[in-house]
Amino acid sequence: MSLVAVVALAEGCTFIQPETGDRISACVDGDSDPANAIEFKTRIRPLMNGEKPGTKGCAACHYSTSPNQAGQEGLIATQLDLSSLRTLRNGGVNTRGTIVVPGKPCSSAIVQKLRGTANGARMPKNGPYWSPEDIQLVADWIAEGANGGDDE
Ligand code: HEC
């Protein structure tokens, strides 16, 4: 194997850069807990809204519905609007078509950004970053088909 291939593999999905957060294990496309179906509305929406104590949400920077539009730096930079599941599915300028790939969490840009393995900053930008368990909820929801309706 060439050195280039080794470096590419090492940077792929194994560990994130030390300056962007904790080391997390390799991404796995399977559902980590098939007995428990993850509902977007009740399990993931509250995390994005910042409703879980100690967890930084996405609303400060990616919500078209926020009263503070001037501070919406993620929305302004990429058009990614996480204020509804419908707009989330549209992705942003760099993630249209890849934001959520049903059945493939490791190929889904939202999981890559939460893990810190995508281009640009790890999300939520400047941290604190989500726990591996909370990121896994998003991964499992996608592994299960990324279901849910417009108002979620
Ligand atoms: C402090 C502001 C801020 C917060 C909070 C934030 N983001 Fe971002 N987000 C940005 C900025 C700025 C960019 C563009 C630069 C980049 O990608 O590094 C971005 C880009 C993204 C992108 C790439 C979109 C594209 O098409 O390029 C995704 C996906 C994303 N954010 C998801 C999230 C998620 C999920 C959360 C909540 C867990 C979140 N962000 C919280 C500021 C933020």
Side-chain angles (χ1 to χ4, degrees):
M1 196 184 288
S2 74
L3 183 61
V4 173
V6 172
V7 171
L9 271 179
E11 288 182 351
C13 221
T14 312
F15 295 117
I16 59 168
Q17 299 298 314
E19 64 270 23
T20 56
D22 299 335
R23 282 159 65 109
I24 51 177
S25 55
C27 191
V28 176
D29 266 333
D31 187 348
S32 75
D33 187 6
N36 277 314
I38 305 301
E39 187 186 48
F40 184 89
K41 187 175 187 171
T42 54
R43 305 298 297 280
I44 298 171
R45 170 55 64 205
L47 296 172
M48 288 189 163
N49 287 358
E51 290 164 10
K52 179 179 172 181
T55 300
K56 184 173 177 178
C58 322
C61 300
H62 284 282
Y63 275 30
S64 65
T65 53
S66 165
N68 176 20
Q69 286 301 302
Q72 295 286 322
E73 58 170 298
L75 180 68
I76 291 164
T78 70
Q79 297 168 20
L80 176 65
D81 180 4
L82 299 174
S83 62
S84 77
L85 184 51
R86 181 182 58 78
T87 58
L88 184 166
R89 289 186 193 287
N90 291 339
V93 287
N94 303 301
T95 54
R96 292 207 196 293
T98 59
I99 188 81
V100 166
V101 183
K104 297 194 170 168
C106 300
S107 303
S108 300
I110 193 164
V111 171
Q112 294 170 351
K113 287 295 259 185
L114 286 167
R115 291 170 53 84
T117 59
N119 287 334
R122 187 178 183 184
M123 294 294 137
K125 192 181 165 202
N126 302 330
Y129 306 111
W130 287 12
S131 68
E133 293 75 19
D134 286 343
I135 297 173
Q136 192 63 47
L137 288 176
V138 179
D140 282 358
W141 168 67
I142 294 173
E144 292 161 14
N147 300 306
D150 280 0
D151 59 341
E152 294 169 319

